[in-house]
Amino acid sequence: MQVRPVVALTALLSLAACSAPPPDKYKALIVDGQSNHKIWPITTQYLKSYLEETGLFSVDIATTPPSGGPMETYRPTFSDYALVVSNYNGEPWSEGAMADFEEFVAGGGAFVSVHSANNAFPEWTAYNEMIGIGGWGDRTERHGPYVRLREGEFVHDNSPGIGGSHGTRHEFQIDIRDTEHPITKGLPMQWMHANDELYDRLRGPAKNLRVLATAFSRVETEGTGEHEPILMTIQFGKGRIFHTTLGHALISQRCNGFITTFQRGAEWAVSGKVTQPVPQNFPTADKVSARPEPA
Ligand code: ZN
C-alpha cells in the first residue's frame, strides 16, 4: 500500500517530463529574385511578416541572381524547410534546383504560390502540376484545360486559347466555393478584395486541384464573363499546395482578405489544418478592409 503514492508521484513526474515545450516553429523559405513586378522585394517583406506574425513560422529568404546572372549558383536546400513560398517569376532555375524542389514537394513539403509565381516556369511539367493552372509564358491548350464553373461544378474546358490574362484593375468580390476546407471554413461567403488584377483564363494540368474561391470577371472590366478560380489547393505527391492568384500591387497585398487567406493557406499546407481564427477586421461582402501603408 505504501508503494502506491510513490508510483503515482513517479507517474506524475514522468508525465511532467513528457509535456514537451511548445513545438518549434515551422521553417519557411520565401523564394524570390526576379519578377515582372518591380515591388517584389517589398512583397517578400510583407509575406515574411505575415508568416511571422502567426507565431507559427520562422522565415528565411532565398534570392536568385538577377536576370542574366549565374542561375547555376542558385540551389536552396529546400529539404531544410517545411514550407516554400514563391514570390518568383523569372528565368528557369538550374536542373539541380528544379529536381530538388520537385523532390521536396513530392515528398510532403508544403508550397504556397502567390500571384505571378503562377506565371513562372511554363515549360517545367512538374511545376505546372504543382500550381495546377498558370498563366502567360506562352501557355496554351498544350499546357492543359481552363477550369470552369458549370452548373455548380468545376469542369475542365479544353478549348484552344491563351493561358493567362486580366482586365482592368479594380476592387472585386471573392466568392467562397468550398465552405468545408480548413482554409476557407468560417470565412464570409462573399468578401470584397482590395484593388487588384483579377487573373483569368489560367490553364494547366489542373490535376488534384480543388477550387476554394472564385471571383466573377466582368466583361465591363475587360474580363471573361466567367467565375475565375482565385484560391486553390493542389496535391502533388505527398505535398500540399496553396495557390492564390491575388496580390498584384502592395494595396492588394495589404488587404485583410489576402493576408488572412495567405496565412491560413500556409498553415494548412504545412499541417493539413488551420488553427488561426478569422480576424475581426476581415472584409465584408461590400467593404474592403486593408492595412494602412507601413510607415
Ligand atoms: Zn500582377
Side-chain angles (χ1 to χ4, degrees):
M1 290 301 288
Q2 283 182 339
V3 174
R4 276 188 182 169
V6 177
V7 171
L9 186 64
T10 309
L12 200 67
L13 285 171
S14 65
L15 198 69
C18 283
S19 70
D24 287 334
K25 291 180 179 179
Y26 298 111
K27 288 186 70 183
L29 181 71
I30 301 176
V31 294
D32 69 3
Q34 298 179 26
S35 178
N36 54 325
H37 298 71
K38 290 201 178 77
I39 55 165
W40 66 261
I42 306 172
T43 301
T44 290
Q45 291 306 316
Y46 277 20
L47 298 176
K48 181 172 187 285
S49 70
Y50 298 157
L51 290 173
E52 287 171 345
E53 72 185 30
T54 66
L56 299 169
F57 297 97
S58 63
V59 184
D60 293 335
I61 299 165
T63 303
T64 66
S67 179
M71 289 299 285
E72 68 281 4
T73 62
Y74 186 71
R75 195 154 182 186
T77 310
F78 299 114
S79 56
D80 284 351
Y81 295 89
L83 168 69
V84 172
V85 174
S86 180
N87 177 31
Y88 182 81
N89 177 22
E91 293 170 3
W93 296 344
S94 68
E95 295 286 335
M98 292 196 293
D100 291 349
F101 188 62
E102 258 178 71
E103 191 179 326
F104 165 77
V105 181
F111 175 40
V112 174
S113 173
V114 177
H115 192 58
S116 69
N118 76 15
N119 299 187
F121 307 122
E123 303 311 320
W124 181 1
T125 303
Y127 187 80
N128 284 324
E129 289 183 14
M130 291 181 213
I131 60 173
I133 50 177
W136 293 272
D138 295 324
R139 282 175 168 86
T140 66
E141 60 275 13
R142 82 187 163 86
H143 289 81
Y146 300 116
V147 174
R148 290 290 172 233
L149 184 62
R150 296 286 180 263
E151 295 165 7
E153 301 285 328
F154 289 98
V155 299
H156 291 180
D157 175 351
N158 291 298
S159 316
I162 61 159
S165 181
H166 60 74
T168 56
R169 273 184 250 163
H170 60 292
E171 294 179 353
F172 51 87
Q173 208 171 43
I174 308 288
D175 298 303
I176 301 299
R177 298 291 175 182
D178 190 330
T179 55
E180 290 306 309
H181 195 280
I183 297 172
T184 40
K185 194 168 188 167
L187 298 185
M189 287 297 290
Q190 294 188 310
W191 51 275
M192 191 57 92
H193 178 49
N195 190 296
D196 205 345
E197 290 172 343
L198 200 174
Y199 274 7
D200 65 50
R201 284 177 277 197
L202 300 179
R203 58 193 316 163
K207 284 196 277 188
N208 308 315
L209 177 137
R210 188 165 164 179
V211 179
L212 304 186
T214 59
F216 187 67
S217 174
R218 289 182 296 135
V219 173
E220 292 79 9
T221 53
E222 298 171 31
T224 53
E226 295 277 359
H227 294 278
E228 297 288 348
I230 298 290
L231 305 178
M232 293 159 265
T233 63
I234 302 98
Q235 184 83 29
F236 179 83
K238 293 180 185 156
R240 281 182 294 264
I241 295 134
F242 173 65
H243 177 169
T244 176
T245 71
L246 303 176
H248 169 75
L250 297 179
I251 177 64
S252 54
Q253 294 162 18
R254 290 197 301 271
C255 169
N256 286 311
F258 171 84
I259 296 167
T260 299
T261 50
F262 170 73
Q263 291 171 325
R264 292 168 72 92
E267 183 182 6
W268 174 80
V270 290
S271 70
K273 59 186 183 186
V274 173
T275 61
Q276 302 166 68
V278 179
Q280 293 292 322
N281 61 6
F282 197 84
T284 61
D286 52 9
K287 197 159 187 305
V288 168
S289 166
R291 294 186 186 184
E293 196 167 352

